[in-house]
Amino acid sequence: MRVRLTHLVLIAALFALPLLAGRVGHTQAQIELAVAPIYLRAGTFTPGLSQQLEVAPDLTLAGYAARQPGYYLVQFRGPVPAAWKDQLAELGATVLDYIPDYAFKVRMTPEVAAQVAGQPGVAWTGVFQPAFKLDPAALASASGEPQLYRVEVERGADALATAGQIAAAGGQVLGAEGQTLLVAADAGQLRALARVLDVAWAERYVLPEKHNEFGGGQIIGAGAANTNGYDGSTQTVAVADTGRGGGTAATAHDDIPASRITAIYNWPGVTDSCWTVSDDGAVDVDSGHGTHTALSVLGDGGPGGEGRGSAPAGRLVFQAVENWATMKGICALLYPNGYYLTGLPADLNSLYQQAYAAGARIHSNSWGSAQAGAYTAESVQTDTFIWNNRDMLITFSAGNEGVDANSDGVIDNDSIGAPATAKNVLTVGASENDRQGNWQ
């Protein structure tokens, strides 16, 4: 599989359309020095050169009122030493996200922006446009019918106030968790919410689904590692999935005895305007998927060793995230009632942090949302956690969407789900083996 992942952090991967607009207080000499491209999701542009992409007037902002904090792109002349960023902070600017090459998203007033533009290390400054806030796929697929969107609110901004402004713009806020909102909006409302000041990003919301439907020990090839002495005895592995056997260490499964289970946590999720959650604890009620994936990682196979996992001597931290959801409102039109991974938090950092605090340094996930290779907000969160905790390995399944439409023996591009598109994770897939007819 091949996924075009060209960006390094959140805003670089999530910005929509570039636009050379709202230049602030720069000189011609500074423009000439700004020869490095700025890479955005839908293309690139080089400040000072005649490279532009047209955007609609309603997604363009000329500038901000005096003394009103707003958002800008600031590009430096080259690799950025800490002193250059410190200069911005000293002037009263808040540096947010890195954008290749040599640029940052910055929150500041027009007065501060004018001072920033004159700093020795700064090559170009421009207004951060509403168009940059919309996932191109979300914008292209929007219609007259409401759809679900995940909306990220800027760090340090008031999420509740932003939700109110989105509602005033016509969007329906169905849920809120931290700086993340679940919003129903039609095409016009989506474009309107992009003009809400503290909206950072909006992308299509796709419910995560379970992966690794038919895998097993023979597909995984765990025996080869075990034969060479790798049994996981020095490791604690976290698995986030549907549930774990009977929900306790004693009732989990004989192939992972209680002595090797460090902790089992229940993540029910929250009831909101999209769904009502029925908390069933950590029990693997519906599919047995969580039990299966945990055994693939840590099962010892019992006395005969049949179905032994990759780390048969390792310790387990399990995070149960599936529950029954009764859909409401627009969500009932899009999804049937059923078991969903409702417990996955809006910010995955909290999921990873819990496992890390319990001693896990490997986090295994056989789930994701079908995003056609897109680098999403959850991909960013996962990359961020690994960047901040470099002794943690997070693995994801590539997904269940891989197809070979032209029968050339190679899985078609853009089939990987998210957060498997994160750049710091180990993404596993492409077994091309569906054994549902005879696998036991």
Side-chain angles (χ1 to χ4, degrees), residues 27 31 119 145 357 379:
T27 67
I31 294 174
Q119 294 302 300
E145 296 298 323
S379 306

Side-chain angles (χ1 to χ4, degrees), residues 28-40:
Q28 183 62 37
Q30 288 174 319
I31 294 174
E32 291 171 355
L33 286 169
V35 295
I38 291 180
Y39 293 91
L40 306 173

Side-chain angles (χ1 to χ4, degrees), residues 22 26 39 46 60 152 164 166 199 239 254 278 293 313 377 394 400 425:
H26 55 266
Y39 293 91
T46 303
T60 303
E152 297 294 325
I166 290 173
V199 165
V239 177
D254 290 344
S278 299
T293 56
I394 298 179
N400 292 331
V425 307

Side-chain angles (χ1 to χ4, degrees), residues 332-343:
L333 301 176
L334 299 174
Y335 297 101
N337 297 336
Y339 283 97
Y340 293 95
L341 304 179
T342 62

Side-chain angles (χ1 to χ4, degrees), residues 4 12 20 25 34 48 57-58 70 78 136 161 166 177 196 275 288 321 329 331 396 408 418:
R4 295 185 294 274
L20 298 180
D58 64 335
I166 290 173
E177 184 179 342
V196 173
W275 58 36
V321 297
C331 295
F396 270 93
D408 65 352

Side-chain angles (χ1 to χ4, degrees), residues 244 246-254 256-264:
R244 186 72 186 92
T248 66
T251 60
H253 193 284
D254 290 344
I256 305 181
S259 61
R260 290 201 290 122
I261 298 178
T262 299
I264 297 178

